[in-house]
Amino acid sequence: MKNLIGMKKTELEALMGELGEAKFRAAQLYKWVYSPVDSIDDMTNIPKVLKEKIKEHYFYRHITAEHILMDEKDGTKKFLFRLEDGNLIESVLMNYSYGSTICISSQVGCRMGCKFCASTIDGLVRNLSAGEMTDQIMAVEKSEKIRISNIVIMGSGEPFDNFDEIVRFIELANDSEALNKGQRHITISTCGLVPEIYKLADMNLQVNLSVSLHAPTDILRKELMPVGNKYKLDELLKACKYYTEKTNRKITFEYAMIKNVNDSREMADKLAYIIMDIKNAMVNLIPVNPIEESSFEKSDRNSIYEFNGYLISKGVNSTVRRKLGSDINAACGQLRRGYTES
Ligand code: SAH
């Protein structure tokens, strides 16, 4: 048995063909699959006999919110979803003046091993399917009765370690008959898997790329992020340059500020230097969210603003990220861990 959520229109057309049905039934079904209904029985213009035939091989079920937490200060909401197989994932809904943004997960767990990140502590459990990624958005839109304008794939998991499903997800998210979200409103965040950056660039999509840099030297980056052993900074930055030149989209470098680790003037100077010739580059400074499993501390407010000011003085388009949702463990796998362990 397979969930209809995640299927493409062409696949439903093939299915209708196999069942000896007219092609327009696929178009009807496709619209239902990505609309806020609860079951196949709710798909009113599909004949009962056809519904029964579909049900022999397919089901239609949304992921379920096991828990919703709200940050009273900024209205950020964190959804803990239970998947078909019992695994838990999280999505975060943030409200900005320009619309709402959802941060979705791409894997259960992660195998990238970044030292400051809670999602990777127990390793990778499994990839999420495109349907499970799509459904995080559908389920939140339904529960909140809103239309989400921006999607960031920045929750648990490394999207480029699940490349094919990410591409399928983008298709579904972007299709006007499915989720209907503009590609320019979708951002993929990667820890820096170089071959996949090239692969995505060559697909000529219009999605934004965000690269988790966190260190301006190979020595430090390797300490913080094991992926730094596989791809050197200059290889990574070359790929980033290619991405912006090929797609003309902006690229954001994420930089988690860790006290006495990567927050000195010297580090800011190196950072400004290494990204100098990437056009449309932006830097996003985020105070690291301390996790129990590591001893990293947040940089002081002052050092963050100094670091930011220095980058700006060097001509870098740098901002300090408004910190949303830290009251509710909205950072990177923290809720799921707290939940599965208690
Ligand atoms: N694997 C992808 C996307 C998921 S992580 C990536 O690495 O980009 C999303 C972002 O949160 C990344 O920039 C990641 O480095 C950052 N992050 C992880 N743990 C964090 C923490 N404890 N504090 C601040 N940022 C963190």
Side-chain angles (χ1 to χ4, degrees):
M1 292 292 264
K2 205 175 155 200
N3 204 335
L4 288 172
I5 302 174
M7 289 185 73
K8 296 191 208 178
K9 195 172 181 186
T10 48
E11 292 164 342
L12 293 178
E13 281 165 0
L15 175 66
M16 290 303 117
E18 278 167 36
L19 297 177
E21 296 283 338
K23 202 172 163 185
F24 77 93
R25 292 289 178 208
Q28 288 179 326
L29 188 59
Y30 187 67
K31 276 200 182 145
W32 282 119
V33 169
Y34 299 101
S35 66
V37 289
D38 289 319
S39 70
I40 293 178
D41 290 330
D42 293 343
M43 304 178 179
T44 49
N45 59 3
I46 308 287
K48 193 156 191 306
V49 190
L50 175 54
K51 282 180 184 161
E52 295 311 315
K53 278 200 265 178
I54 296 170
K55 282 188 210 166
E56 282 171 23
H57 301 284
Y58 294 87
F59 61 92
Y60 182 83
R61 243 186 332 266
H62 291 281
I63 52 178
T64 50
E66 186 103 338
H67 206 76
I68 304 177
L69 280 176
M70 170 141 128
D71 186 321
E72 297 298 338
K73 276 188 238 141
D74 60 24
T76 296
K77 279 192 182 172
K78 179 131 189 169
F79 295 77
L80 189 73
F81 287 114
R82 179 77 69 184
L83 305 175
E84 277 293 321
D85 64 358
N87 274 306
L88 289 168
I89 51 160
E90 16 173 282
S91 319
V92 182
L93 177 67
M94 293 156 287
N95 295 304
Y96 293 106
S97 50
Y98 50 83
S100 49
T101 296
I102 188 170
C103 171
I104 64 165
S105 295
S106 56
Q107 296 179 315
V108 182
C110 183
R111 56 176 177 160
M112 295 297 129
C114 301
K115 294 294 190 297
F116 44 80
C117 181
S119 304
T120 194
I121 293 166
D122 298 322
L124 176 67
V125 178
R126 70 167 173 86
N127 282 331
L128 292 187
S129 66
E132 288 167 327
M133 290 185 250
T134 311
D135 204 12
Q136 293 173 59
I137 298 159
M138 291 167 67
V140 170
E141 286 190 332
K142 188 169 181 200
S143 123
E144 298 295 303
K145 302 185 180 61
I146 53 164
R147 179 179 151 77
I148 288 169
S149 33
N150 298 292
I151 302 166
V152 298
I153 311 175
M154 222 182 246
S156 296
E158 169 49 45
F160 283 165
D161 190 32
N162 186 13
F163 194 86
D164 293 346
E165 290 300 306
I166 289 290
V167 171
R168 176 189 271 265
F169 164 76
I170 293 171
E171 262 182 61
L172 293 173
N174 185 224
D175 189 346
S176 60
E177 288 180 293
L179 296 193
N180 192 23
K181 312 289 181 199
Q183 285 186 19
R184 289 163 181 236
H185 296 272
I186 302 174
T187 300
I188 302 180
S189 181
T190 177
C191 64
L193 301 186
V194 168
E196 282 75 18
I197 295 177
Y198 284 107
K199 230 163 118 178
L200 190 73
D202 289 337
M203 293 179 84
N204 291 316
L205 299 174
Q206 283 292 296
V207 297
N208 305 305
L209 191 64
S210 181
V211 174
S212 302
L213 210 53
H214 305 316
T217 65
D218 279 315
I219 296 174
L220 179 58
R221 195 159 191 271
K222 279 185 209 171
E223 270 174 39
L224 298 174
M225 305 175 71
V227 69
N229 291 298
K230 200 157 179 197
Y231 307 109
K232 293 229 153 43
L233 271 170
D234 60 1
E235 281 177 81
L236 172 59
L237 294 166
K238 213 169 123 192
C240 294
K241 192 161 189 273
Y242 182 81
Y243 189 84
T244 55
E245 282 168 8
K246 186 84 199 278
T247 62
N248 221 2
R249 300 301 298 153
K250 65 176 186 205
I251 197 162
T252 306
F253 292 107
E254 304 291 333
Y255 197 97
M257 301 284 295
I258 313 173
K259 193 175 191 164
N260 299 332
V261 173
N262 64 358
D263 60 353
S264 65
R265 166 68 63 98
E266 191 197 346
M267 292 287 172
D269 201 38
K270 289 203 159 97
L271 177 58
Y273 179 75
I274 61 171
I275 61 171
M276 199 167 56
D277 62 345
I278 301 180
K279 68 169 185 168
N280 303 335
M282 295 179 30
V283 171
N284 214 336
L285 303 174
I286 323 138
V288 78
N289 236 297
I291 55 169
E292 259 172 49
E293 294 77 3
S294 82
S295 57
F296 295 130
E297 287 174 49
K298 274 187 188 100
S299 302
D300 306 327
R301 231 184 113 82
N302 277 352
S303 3
I304 297 176
Y305 282 98
E306 256 174 51
F307 197 95
N308 188 48
Y310 186 75
L311 289 177
I312 292 169
S313 76
K314 291 278 162 185
V316 176
N317 185 353
S318 174
T319 52
V320 179
R321 188 188 295 171
R322 199 180 126 200
K323 224 176 78 208
L324 293 174
S326 59
D327 278 8
I328 52 168
N329 278 341
C332 317
Q334 292 179 344
L335 177 67
R336 173 174 164 264
R337 271 188 76 70
Y339 205 83
T340 44
E341 279 174 4
S342 57

